[in-house]
Amino acid sequence: MSDQINDTETADESIDQEAPDTALAATETDSTDTTEDQDTENPSRREAAYRVKLRETESYRDQLLEQLNAMRQAEIERIAGESIANPVALWSNGATVDSLLADDGTVDPAAVRAAADDAANTLGLQPARRPGVVPTEGRVMNEAWRHKGNGWSDAFTPA
């Protein structure tokens, strides 16, 4: 009876040792077959995934275009602000972002200045005001005092 038990245990061990490799190979084969079968049986699933990616990409592209146009508009208004006091009025005169771009897609400063001048003439806009600048600020009207000495230099010279 102990011989039967030993033979059974040995047979079970050999089956257990072979089973993982065989089972693993069978699982790999089944998984590849099912993937290929799913692709060939249900191509609409693959196409649906592509459509989802396409929609996400188009949404991202549209978002980037909106940001680019907003940046272009801000740059156009900044350049127009050098010529007219109210650069937003540039759009009221019929200017568009596309009409103020160069061939390479960048903002054309010359076209913006021309459109700003046209808007100023057509709409009667005031020219841009520069912030208060004192032209003589920092200059001394009488340079003679520098040669006489200065209170600070006199304070540090030994007496």
Side-chain angles (χ1 to χ4, degrees), residues 117-147:
D117 291 341
D118 185 46
N121 293 333
T122 305
L123 302 174
L125 301 175
Q126 294 181 359
R129 294 185 186 189
R130 296 185 181 182
V133 176
V134 179
T136 58
E137 183 177 352
R139 282 197 246 155
V140 177
M141 295 301 191
N142 184 0
E143 297 283 332
W145 70 273
R146 288 186 185 208
H147 301 293

Side-chain angles (χ1 to χ4, degrees), residues 18-113:
E18 293 175 9
D21 295 336
T22 309
L24 180 61
T27 307
E28 290 175 0
T29 306
D30 290 341
S31 66
T32 6
D33 290 341
T34 55
T35 307
E36 290 175 4
D37 289 342
Q38 286 175 353
D39 287 345
T40 57
E41 287 178 15
N42 196 358
S44 64
R45 181 177 296 181
R46 186 172 13 134
E47 292 169 359
Y50 287 135
R51 283 192 299 271
V52 168
K53 286 182 182 179
L54 176 66
R55 286 187 196 112
E56 289 173 355
T57 304
E58 286 175 342
S59 172
Y60 185 66
R61 180 207 56 200
D62 293 343
Q63 179 184 6
L64 290 177
L65 281 174
E66 287 176 16
Q67 289 176 353
L68 179 63
N69 283 333
M71 292 173 70
R72 285 174 172 167
Q73 184 173 353
E75 178 65 8
I76 289 169
E77 290 177 2
R78 183 192 67 77
I79 294 170
E82 296 171 359
S83 301
I84 55 178
N86 188 7
V88 178
L90 183 70
W91 311 118
S92 300
N93 197 37
T96 61
V97 173
D98 293 334
S99 68
L100 300 174
L101 297 179
D103 292 335
D104 62 352
T106 58
V107 176
D108 184 7
V112 173
R113 288 186 191 99

